[in-house]
PDB file of all heavy atoms in Angstrom:
ATOM      1  N   ARG A1301       0.833  -1.209   0.000  1.00 98.00           N
ATOM      2  CA  ARG A1301       0.000   0.000   0.000  1.00 98.00           C
ATOM      3  C   ARG A1301       0.868   1.258   0.000  1.00 98.00           C
ATOM      4  O   ARG A1301       0.619   2.201  -0.763  1.00 98.00           O
ATOM      5  CB  ARG A1301      -0.941  -0.028   1.208  1.00 98.00           C
ATOM      6  CG  ARG A1301      -1.912   1.152   1.270  1.00 98.00           C
ATOM      7  CD  ARG A1301      -3.025   0.907   2.278  1.00 98.00           C
ATOM      8  NE  ARG A1301      -3.929  -0.147   1.804  1.00 98.00           N
ATOM      9  CZ  ARG A1301      -4.020  -1.349   2.350  1.00 98.00           C
ATOM     10  NH1 ARG A1301      -3.278  -1.673   3.399  1.00 98.00           N
ATOM     11  NH2 ARG A1301      -4.852  -2.244   1.852  1.00 98.00           N
ATOM     12  N   GLN A1302       1.863   1.279   0.843  1.00 97.00           N
ATOM     13  CA  GLN A1302       2.754   2.446   0.893  1.00 97.00           C
ATOM     14  C   GLN A1302       3.448   2.656  -0.448  1.00 97.00           C
ATOM     15  O   GLN A1302       3.569   3.793  -0.928  1.00 97.00           O
ATOM     16  CB  GLN A1302       3.783   2.262   2.008  1.00 97.00           C
ATOM     17  CG  GLN A1302       3.200   2.333   3.409  1.00 97.00           C
ATOM     18  CD  GLN A1302       4.217   1.992   4.480  1.00 97.00           C
ATOM     19  OE1 GLN A1302       5.422   1.874   4.205  1.00 97.00           O
ATOM     20  NE2 GLN A1302       3.747   1.818   5.711  1.00 97.00           N
ATOM     21  N   ASP A1303       3.880   1.563  -1.057  1.00 97.00           N
ATOM     22  CA  ASP A1303       4.602   1.670  -2.336  1.00 97.00           C
ATOM     23  C   ASP A1303       3.686   2.178  -3.454  1.00 97.00           C
ATOM     24  O   ASP A1303       4.074   3.059  -4.227  1.00 97.00           O
ATOM     25  CB  ASP A1303       5.179   0.306  -2.734  1.00 97.00           C
ATOM     26  CG  ASP A1303       6.352  -0.112  -1.865  1.00 97.00           C
ATOM     27  OD1 ASP A1303       6.889   0.750  -1.150  1.00 97.00           O
ATOM     28  OD2 ASP A1303       6.720  -1.303  -1.900  1.00 97.00           O
ATOM     29  N   ILE A1304       2.467   1.635  -3.560  1.00 98.00           N
ATOM     30  CA  ILE A1304       1.590   2.029  -4.663  1.00 98.00           C
ATOM     31  C   ILE A1304       1.040   3.435  -4.442  1.00 98.00           C
ATOM     32  O   ILE A1304       0.831   4.182  -5.407  1.00 98.00           O
ATOM     33  CB  ILE A1304       0.450   0.993  -4.883  1.00 98.00           C
ATOM     34  CG1 ILE A1304      -0.222   1.222  -6.240  1.00 98.00           C
ATOM     35  CG2 ILE A1304      -0.556   1.019  -3.746  1.00 98.00           C
ATOM     36  CD1 ILE A1304       0.682   1.070  -7.438  1.00 98.00           C
ATOM     37  N   ILE A1305       0.821   3.827  -3.192  1.00 98.00           N
ATOM     38  CA  ILE A1305       0.389   5.197  -2.913  1.00 98.00           C
ATOM     39  C   ILE A1305       1.478   6.185  -3.346  1.00 98.00           C
ATOM     40  O   ILE A1305       1.201   7.198  -4.009  1.00 98.00           O
ATOM     41  CB  ILE A1305       0.047   5.370  -1.428  1.00 98.00           C
ATOM     42  CG1 ILE A1305      -1.321   4.735  -1.132  1.00 98.00           C
ATOM     43  CG2 ILE A1305       0.033   6.853  -1.025  1.00 98.00           C
ATOM     44  CD1 ILE A1305      -1.720   4.762   0.337  1.00 98.00           C
ATOM     45  N   LYS A1306       2.726   5.889  -2.993  1.00 97.00           N
ATOM     46  CA  LYS A1306       3.843   6.758  -3.382  1.00 97.00           C
ATOM     47  C   LYS A1306       3.954   6.850  -4.898  1.00 97.00           C
ATOM     48  O   LYS A1306       4.130   7.944  -5.465  1.00 97.00           O
ATOM     49  CB  LYS A1306       5.144   6.213  -2.785  1.00 97.00           C
ATOM     50  CG  LYS A1306       6.366   7.072  -3.085  1.00 97.00           C
ATOM     51  CD  LYS A1306       7.616   6.497  -2.423  1.00 97.00           C
ATOM     52  CE  LYS A1306       8.843   7.332  -2.755  1.00 97.00           C
ATOM     53  NZ  LYS A1306      10.076   6.768  -2.118  1.00 97.00           N
ATOM     54  N   ALA A1307       3.801   5.703  -5.577  1.00 97.00           N
ATOM     55  CA  ALA A1307       3.891   5.683  -7.043  1.00 97.00           C
ATOM     56  C   ALA A1307       2.737   6.445  -7.681  1.00 97.00           C
ATOM     57  O   ALA A1307       2.922   7.167  -8.674  1.00 97.00           O
ATOM     58  CB  ALA A1307       3.912   4.238  -7.543  1.00 97.00           C
ATOM     59  N   ALA A1308       1.535   6.318  -7.127  1.00 97.00           N
ATOM     60  CA  ALA A1308       0.362   7.006  -7.673  1.00 97.00           C
ATOM     61  C   ALA A1308       0.487   8.514  -7.514  1.00 97.00           C
ATOM     62  O   ALA A1308       0.122   9.283  -8.416  1.00 97.00           O
ATOM     63  CB  ALA A1308      -0.900   6.505  -6.982  1.00 97.00           C
ATOM     64  N   ILE A1309       0.986   8.953  -6.378  1.00 98.00           N
ATOM     65  CA  ILE A1309       1.195  10.392  -6.159  1.00 98.00           C
ATOM     66  C   ILE A1309       2.218  10.928  -7.147  1.00 98.00           C
ATOM     67  O   ILE A1309       2.022  11.987  -7.765  1.00 98.00           O
ATOM     68  CB  ILE A1309       1.637  10.655  -4.702  1.00 98.00           C
ATOM     69  CG1 ILE A1309       0.476  10.391  -3.739  1.00 98.00           C
ATOM     70  CG2 ILE A1309       2.144  12.091  -4.537  1.00 98.00           C
ATOM     71  CD1 ILE A1309       0.863  10.444  -2.274  1.00 98.00           C
ATOM     72  N   GLY A1310       3.317  10.198  -7.315  1.00 97.00           N
ATOM     73  CA  GLY A1310       4.351  10.630  -8.261  1.00 97.00           C
ATOM     74  C   GLY A1310       3.834  10.706  -9.682  1.00 97.00           C
ATOM     75  O   GLY A1310       4.118  11.666 -10.415  1.00 97.00           O
ATOM     76  N   ALA A1311       3.038   9.711 -10.086  1.00 97.00           N
ATOM     77  CA  ALA A1311       2.472   9.698 -11.443  1.00 97.00           C
ATOM     78  C   ALA A1311       1.521  10.866 -11.645  1.00 97.00           C
ATOM     79  O   ALA A1311       1.528  11.519 -12.699  1.00 97.00           O
ATOM     80  CB  ALA A1311       1.754   8.376 -11.696  1.00 97.00           C
ATOM     81  N   THR A1312       0.685  11.145 -10.648  1.00 97.00           N
ATOM     82  CA  THR A1312      -0.283  12.242 -10.745  1.00 97.00           C
ATOM     83  C   THR A1312       0.442  13.576 -10.906  1.00 97.00           C
ATOM     84  O   THR A1312       0.023  14.436 -11.693  1.00 97.00           O
ATOM     85  CB  THR A1312      -1.192  12.273  -9.504  1.00 97.00           C
ATOM     86  OG1 THR A1312      -1.835  11.001  -9.363  1.00 97.00           O
ATOM     87  CG2 THR A1312      -2.244  13.353  -9.619  1.00 97.00           C
ATOM     88  N   LYS A1313       1.523  13.758 -10.174  1.00 97.00           N
ATOM     89  CA  LYS A1313       2.308  14.996 -10.293  1.00 97.00           C
ATOM     90  C   LYS A1313       2.914  15.119 -11.679  1.00 97.00           C
ATOM     91  O   LYS A1313       2.889  16.195 -12.289  1.00 97.00           O
ATOM     92  CB  LYS A1313       3.390  15.027  -9.221  1.00 97.00           C
ATOM     93  CG  LYS A1313       2.864  15.269  -7.811  1.00 97.00           C
ATOM     94  CD  LYS A1313       4.002  15.349  -6.792  1.00 97.00           C
ATOM     95  CE  LYS A1313       3.478  15.669  -5.407  1.00 97.00           C
ATOM     96  NZ  LYS A1313       4.566  15.756  -4.393  1.00 97.00           N
ATOM     97  N   GLN A1314       3.468  14.021 -12.197  1.00 96.00           N
ATOM     98  CA  GLN A1314       4.076  14.075 -13.532  1.00 96.00           C
ATOM     99  C   GLN A1314       3.047  14.349 -14.620  1.00 96.00           C
ATOM    100  O   GLN A1314       3.350  15.005 -15.622  1.00 96.00           O
ATOM    101  CB  GLN A1314       4.796  12.759 -13.812  1.00 96.00           C
ATOM    102  CG  GLN A1314       6.082  12.579 -13.030  1.00 96.00           C
ATOM    103  CD  GLN A1314       6.874  11.363 -13.500  1.00 96.00           C
ATOM    104  OE1 GLN A1314       7.160  11.218 -14.686  1.00 96.00           O
ATOM    105  NE2 GLN A1314       7.210  10.481 -12.570  1.00 96.00           N
ATOM    106  N   LEU A1315       1.830  13.856 -14.423  1.00 95.00           N
ATOM    107  CA  LEU A1315       0.764  14.096 -15.401  1.00 95.00           C
ATOM    108  C   LEU A1315       0.202  15.511 -15.300  1.00 95.00           C
ATOM    109  O   LEU A1315      -0.532  15.952 -16.181  1.00 95.00           O
ATOM    110  CB  LEU A1315      -0.365  13.083 -15.199  1.00 95.00           C
ATOM    111  CG  LEU A1315      -0.036  11.622 -15.544  1.00 95.00           C
ATOM    112  CD1 LEU A1315      -1.148  10.697 -15.062  1.00 95.00           C
ATOM    113  CD2 LEU A1315       0.180  11.455 -17.048  1.00 95.00           C
ATOM    114  N   GLY A1316       0.525  16.223 -14.222  1.00 96.00           N
ATOM    115  CA  GLY A1316       0.044  17.592 -14.043  1.00 96.00           C
ATOM    116  C   GLY A1316      -1.443  17.676 -13.776  1.00 96.00           C
ATOM    117  O   GLY A1316      -2.089  18.680 -14.101  1.00 96.00           O
ATOM    118  N   TYR A1317      -1.980  16.642 -13.151  1.00 97.00           N
ATOM    119  CA  TYR A1317      -3.435  16.583 -12.935  1.00 97.00           C
ATOM    120  C   TYR A1317      -3.850  17.457 -11.768  1.00 97.00           C
ATOM    121  O   TYR A1317      -3.156  17.555 -10.753  1.00 97.00           O
ATOM    122  CB  TYR A1317      -3.848  15.132 -12.665  1.00 97.00           C
ATOM    123  CG  TYR A1317      -5.347  14.958 -12.561  1.00 97.00           C
ATOM    124  CD1 TYR A1317      -6.135  14.958 -13.703  1.00 97.00           C
ATOM    125  CD2 TYR A1317      -5.974  14.818 -11.328  1.00 97.00           C
ATOM    126  CE1 TYR A1317      -7.503  14.814 -13.629  1.00 97.00           C
ATOM    127  CE2 TYR A1317      -7.341  14.662 -11.235  1.00 97.00           C
ATOM    128  CZ  TYR A1317      -8.108  14.662 -12.387  1.00 97.00           C
ATOM    129  OH  TYR A1317      -9.465  14.522 -12.299  1.00 97.00           O
ATOM    130  N   VAL A1318      -5.036  18.097 -11.911  1.00 98.00           N
ATOM    131  CA  VAL A1318      -5.618  18.919 -10.847  1.00 98.00           C
ATOM    132  C   VAL A1318      -7.075  18.516 -10.664  1.00 98.00           C
ATOM    133  O   VAL A1318      -7.851  18.478 -11.622  1.00 98.00           O
ATOM    134  CB  VAL A1318      -5.533  20.427 -11.177  1.00 98.00           C
ATOM    135  CG1 VAL A1318      -6.254  21.251 -10.121  1.00 98.00           C
ATOM    136  CG2 VAL A1318      -4.077  20.867 -11.286  1.00 98.00           C
ATOM    137  N   GLY A1319      -7.462  18.220  -9.418  1.00 98.00           N
ATOM    138  CA  GLY A1319      -8.846  17.855  -9.110  1.00 98.00           C
ATOM    139  C   GLY A1319      -8.908  16.520  -8.396  1.00 98.00           C
ATOM    140  O   GLY A1319      -7.906  16.012  -7.891  1.00 98.00           O
ATOM    141  N   ALA A1320     -10.118  15.953  -8.348  1.00 98.00           N
ATOM    142  CA  ALA A1320     -10.300  14.605  -7.811  1.00 98.00           C
ATOM    143  C   ALA A1320     -10.168  13.617  -8.964  1.00 98.00           C
ATOM    144  O   ALA A1320     -10.746  13.808 -10.021  1.00 98.00           O
ATOM    145  CB  ALA A1320     -11.670  14.474  -7.152  1.00 98.00           C
ATOM    146  N   GLY A1321      -9.400  12.568  -8.746  1.00 97.00           N
ATOM    147  CA  GLY A1321      -9.201  11.564  -9.794  1.00 97.00           C
ATOM    148  C   GLY A1321      -8.956  10.200  -9.185  1.00 97.00           C
ATOM    149  O   GLY A1321      -8.672  10.086  -7.990  1.00 97.00           O
ATOM    150  N   THR A1322      -9.082   9.188 -10.001  1.00 98.00           N
ATOM    151  CA  THR A1322      -8.892   7.811  -9.536  1.00 98.00           C
ATOM    152  C   THR A1322      -8.010   7.048 -10.506  1.00 98.00           C
ATOM    153  O   THR A1322      -8.308   6.996 -11.708  1.00 98.00           O
ATOM    154  CB  THR A1322     -10.251   7.087  -9.395  1.00 98.00           C
ATOM    155  OG1 THR A1322     -11.100   7.843  -8.523  1.00 98.00           O
ATOM    156  CG2 THR A1322     -10.062   5.695  -8.835  1.00 98.00           C
ATOM    157  N   LEU A1323      -6.940   6.458  -9.989  1.00 97.00           N
ATOM    158  CA  LEU A1323      -6.071   5.600 -10.784  1.00 97.00           C
ATOM    159  C   LEU A1323      -6.504   4.151 -10.559  1.00 97.00           C
ATOM    160  O   LEU A1323      -6.593   3.707  -9.410  1.00 97.00           O
ATOM    161  CB  LEU A1323      -4.609   5.773 -10.379  1.00 97.00           C
ATOM    162  CG  LEU A1323      -3.877   6.987 -10.959  1.00 97.00           C
ATOM    163  CD1 LEU A1323      -4.383   8.270 -10.312  1.00 97.00           C
ATOM    164  CD2 LEU A1323      -2.376   6.867 -10.761  1.00 97.00           C
ATOM    165  N   GLU A1324      -6.779   3.437 -11.645  1.00 96.00           N
ATOM    166  CA  GLU A1324      -7.316   2.080 -11.541  1.00 96.00           C
ATOM    167  C   GLU A1324      -6.274   1.057 -11.985  1.00 96.00           C
ATOM    168  O   GLU A1324      -5.581   1.250 -12.988  1.00 96.00           O
ATOM    169  CB  GLU A1324      -8.588   1.953 -12.370  1.00 96.00           C
ATOM    170  CG  GLU A1324      -9.658   2.970 -11.961  1.00 96.00           C
ATOM    171  CD  GLU A1324     -11.058   2.518 -12.322  1.00 96.00           C
ATOM    172  OE1 GLU A1324     -11.211   1.420 -12.886  1.00 96.00           O
ATOM    173  OE2 GLU A1324     -11.995   3.278 -12.039  1.00 96.00           O
ATOM    174  N   PHE A1325      -6.197  -0.032 -11.212  1.00 97.00           N
ATOM    175  CA  PHE A1325      -5.197  -1.069 -11.445  1.00 97.00           C
ATOM    176  C   PHE A1325      -5.833  -2.455 -11.402  1.00 97.00           C
ATOM    177  O   PHE A1325      -6.881  -2.656 -10.781  1.00 97.00           O
ATOM    178  CB  PHE A1325      -4.125  -1.035 -10.349  1.00 97.00           C
ATOM    179  CG  PHE A1325      -3.341   0.237 -10.265  1.00 97.00           C
ATOM    180  CD1 PHE A1325      -3.826   1.329  -9.545  1.00 97.00           C
ATOM    181  CD2 PHE A1325      -2.104   0.350 -10.883  1.00 97.00           C
ATOM    182  CE1 PHE A1325      -3.108   2.506  -9.449  1.00 97.00           C
ATOM    183  CE2 PHE A1325      -1.369   1.529 -10.791  1.00 97.00           C
ATOM    184  CZ  PHE A1325      -1.877   2.608 -10.073  1.00 97.00           C
ATOM    185  N   LEU A1326      -5.166  -3.410 -12.052  1.00 97.00           N
ATOM    186  CA  LEU A1326      -5.414  -4.822 -11.807  1.00 97.00           C
ATOM    187  C   LEU A1326      -4.280  -5.322 -10.917  1.00 97.00           C
ATOM    188  O   LEU A1326      -3.101  -5.029 -11.187  1.00 97.00           O
ATOM    189  CB  LEU A1326      -5.450  -5.615 -13.109  1.00 97.00           C
ATOM    190  CG  LEU A1326      -6.676  -5.390 -14.002  1.00 97.00           C
ATOM    191  CD1 LEU A1326      -6.568  -6.248 -15.260  1.00 97.00           C
ATOM    192  CD2 LEU A1326      -7.975  -5.698 -13.267  1.00 97.00           C
ATOM    193  N   LEU A1327      -4.636  -6.048  -9.866  1.00 98.00           N
ATOM    194  CA  LEU A1327      -3.658  -6.625  -8.952  1.00 98.00           C
ATOM    195  C   LEU A1327      -3.637  -8.128  -9.183  1.00 98.00           C
ATOM    196  O   LEU A1327      -4.646  -8.811  -8.970  1.00 98.00           O
ATOM    197  CB  LEU A1327      -4.053  -6.309  -7.505  1.00 98.00           C
ATOM    198  CG  LEU A1327      -3.205  -6.941  -6.403  1.00 98.00           C
ATOM    199  CD1 LEU A1327      -1.772  -6.408  -6.449  1.00 98.00           C
ATOM    200  CD2 LEU A1327      -3.827  -6.679  -5.034  1.00 98.00           C
ATOM    201  N   ASP A1328      -2.489  -8.652  -9.647  1.00 97.00           N
ATOM    202  CA  ASP A1328      -2.432 -10.087  -9.923  1.00 97.00           C
ATOM    203  C   ASP A1328      -2.066 -10.868  -8.660  1.00 97.00           C
ATOM    204  O   ASP A1328      -1.799 -10.286  -7.600  1.00 97.00           O
ATOM    205  CB  ASP A1328      -1.487 -10.396 -11.095  1.00 97.00           C
ATOM    206  CG  ASP A1328      -0.017 -10.104 -10.786  1.00 97.00           C
ATOM    207  OD1 ASP A1328       0.371 -10.087  -9.600  1.00 97.00           O
ATOM    208  OD2 ASP A1328       0.760  -9.889 -11.743  1.00 97.00           O
ATOM    209  N   ARG A1329      -2.047 -12.181  -8.789  1.00 93.00           N
ATOM    210  CA  ARG A1329      -1.824 -13.023  -7.610  1.00 93.00           C
ATOM    211  C   ARG A1329      -0.397 -12.951  -7.081  1.00 93.00           C
ATOM    212  O   ARG A1329      -0.117 -13.362  -5.955  1.00 93.00           O
ATOM    213  CB  ARG A1329      -2.180 -14.483  -7.945  1.00 93.00           C
ATOM    214  CG  ARG A1329      -3.688 -14.701  -8.005  1.00 93.00           C
ATOM    215  CD  ARG A1329      -4.040 -16.152  -8.121  1.00 93.00           C
ATOM    216  NE  ARG A1329      -5.487 -16.335  -8.063  1.00 93.00           N
ATOM    217  CZ  ARG A1329      -6.094 -17.501  -8.260  1.00 93.00           C
ATOM    218  NH1 ARG A1329      -5.380 -18.585  -8.522  1.00 93.00           N
ATOM    219  NH2 ARG A1329      -7.410 -17.587  -8.201  1.00 93.00           N
ATOM    220  N   GLU A1330       0.508 -12.439  -7.882  1.00 95.00           N
ATOM    221  CA  GLU A1330       1.892 -12.258  -7.419  1.00 95.00           C
ATOM    222  C   GLU A1330       2.084 -10.921  -6.714  1.00 95.00           C
ATOM    223  O   GLU A1330       3.188 -10.590  -6.283  1.00 95.00           O
ATOM    224  CB  GLU A1330       2.862 -12.345  -8.609  1.00 95.00           C
ATOM    225  CG  GLU A1330       3.095 -13.765  -9.115  1.00 95.00           C
ATOM    226  CD  GLU A1330       1.875 -14.329  -9.815  1.00 95.00           C
ATOM    227  OE1 GLU A1330       1.316 -13.631 -10.698  1.00 95.00           O
ATOM    228  OE2 GLU A1330       1.463 -15.461  -9.473  1.00 95.00           O
ATOM    229  N   GLY A1331       1.017 -10.135  -6.619  1.00 95.00           N
ATOM    230  CA  GLY A1331       1.097  -8.851  -5.928  1.00 95.00           C
ATOM    231  C   GLY A1331       1.558  -7.701  -6.787  1.00 95.00           C
ATOM    232  O   GLY A1331       1.924  -6.643  -6.278  1.00 95.00           O
ATOM    233  N   HIS A1332       1.524  -7.862  -8.127  1.00 96.00           N
ATOM    234  CA  HIS A1332       1.943  -6.798  -9.040  1.00 96.00           C
ATOM    235  C   HIS A1332       0.739  -5.934  -9.424  1.00 96.00           C
ATOM    236  O   HIS A1332      -0.318  -6.462  -9.771  1.00 96.00           O
ATOM    237  CB  HIS A1332       2.573  -7.387 -10.313  1.00 96.00           C
ATOM    238  CG  HIS A1332       3.776  -8.223 -10.032  1.00 96.00           C
ATOM    239  ND1 HIS A1332       3.957  -9.478 -10.579  1.00 96.00           N
ATOM    240  CD2 HIS A1332       4.856  -7.996  -9.251  1.00 96.00           C
ATOM    241  CE1 HIS A1332       5.102  -9.978 -10.158  1.00 96.00           C
ATOM    242  NE2 HIS A1332       5.662  -9.102  -9.343  1.00 96.00           N
ATOM    243  N   PHE A1333       0.936  -4.624  -9.393  1.00 98.00           N
ATOM    244  CA  PHE A1333      -0.095  -3.677  -9.813  1.00 98.00           C
ATOM    245  C   PHE A1333       0.103  -3.322 -11.282  1.00 98.00           C
ATOM    246  O   PHE A1333       1.176  -2.851 -11.670  1.00 98.00           O
ATOM    247  CB  PHE A1333      -0.034  -2.399  -8.968  1.00 98.00           C
ATOM    248  CG  PHE A1333      -0.592  -2.543  -7.584  1.00 98.00           C
ATOM    249  CD1 PHE A1333       0.219  -2.949  -6.536  1.00 98.00           C
ATOM    250  CD2 PHE A1333      -1.928  -2.275  -7.324  1.00 98.00           C
ATOM    251  CE1 PHE A1333      -0.290  -3.066  -5.246  1.00 98.00           C
ATOM    252  CE2 PHE A1333      -2.453  -2.393  -6.050  1.00 98.00           C
ATOM    253  CZ  PHE A1333      -1.628  -2.797  -5.006  1.00 98.00           C
ATOM    254  N   TRP A1334      -0.957  -3.523 -12.086  1.00 97.00           N
ATOM    255  CA  TRP A1334      -0.929  -3.186 -13.507  1.00 97.00           C
ATOM    256  C   TRP A1334      -1.883  -2.019 -13.759  1.00 97.00           C
ATOM    257  O   TRP A1334      -3.089  -2.147 -13.556  1.00 97.00           O
ATOM    258  CB  TRP A1334      -1.368  -4.390 -14.340  1.00 97.00           C
ATOM    259  CG  TRP A1334      -0.479  -5.586 -14.201  1.00 97.00           C
ATOM    260  CD1 TRP A1334      -0.548  -6.557 -13.246  1.00 97.00           C
ATOM    261  CD2 TRP A1334       0.612  -5.940 -15.061  1.00 97.00           C
ATOM    262  NE1 TRP A1334       0.420  -7.503 -13.454  1.00 97.00           N
ATOM    263  CE2 TRP A1334       1.151  -7.153 -14.568  1.00 97.00           C
ATOM    264  CE3 TRP A1334       1.170  -5.368 -16.208  1.00 97.00           C
ATOM    265  CZ2 TRP A1334       2.233  -7.790 -15.171  1.00 97.00           C
ATOM    266  CZ3 TRP A1334       2.242  -5.997 -16.810  1.00 97.00           C
ATOM    267  CH2 TRP A1334       2.761  -7.184 -16.295  1.00 97.00           C
ATOM    268  N   PHE A1335      -1.349  -0.888 -14.200  1.00 96.00           N
ATOM    269  CA  PHE A1335      -2.190   0.298 -14.435  1.00 96.00           C
ATOM    270  C   PHE A1335      -3.140   0.073 -15.605  1.00 96.00           C
ATOM    271  O   PHE A1335      -2.726  -0.388 -16.674  1.00 96.00           O
ATOM    272  CB  PHE A1335      -1.320   1.522 -14.709  1.00 96.00           C
ATOM    273  CG  PHE A1335      -2.110   2.756 -15.038  1.00 96.00           C
ATOM    274  CD1 PHE A1335      -2.697   3.512 -14.031  1.00 96.00           C
ATOM    275  CD2 PHE A1335      -2.306   3.143 -16.358  1.00 96.00           C
ATOM    276  CE1 PHE A1335      -3.445   4.639 -14.331  1.00 96.00           C
ATOM    277  CE2 PHE A1335      -3.050   4.270 -16.662  1.00 96.00           C
ATOM    278  CZ  PHE A1335      -3.623   5.016 -15.649  1.00 96.00           C
TER     279      PHE A1335
END
């Protein structure tokens, strides 16, 4: 959770997004997050 939250915040900043938004992922059985 800490890792994906940090990654999501970093991605949102790089995209220059402003407002409320949701990043959606598939989480596989090995614990990998796929955007």
Side-chain angles (χ1 to χ4, degrees):
R1301 183 166 291 111
Q1302 291 174 10
D1303 288 345
I1304 195 61
I1305 284 176
K1306 182 178 178 180
I1309 290 172
T1312 304
K1313 288 182 177 180
Q1314 287 189 53
L1315 292 170
Y1317 185 76
V1318 175
T1322 304
L1323 279 72
E1324 303 204 0
F1325 298 84
L1326 288 180
L1327 175 65
D1328 67 23
R1329 285 189 175 174
E1330 284 71 49
H1332 300 132
F1333 284 89
W1334 298 86
F1335 177 80

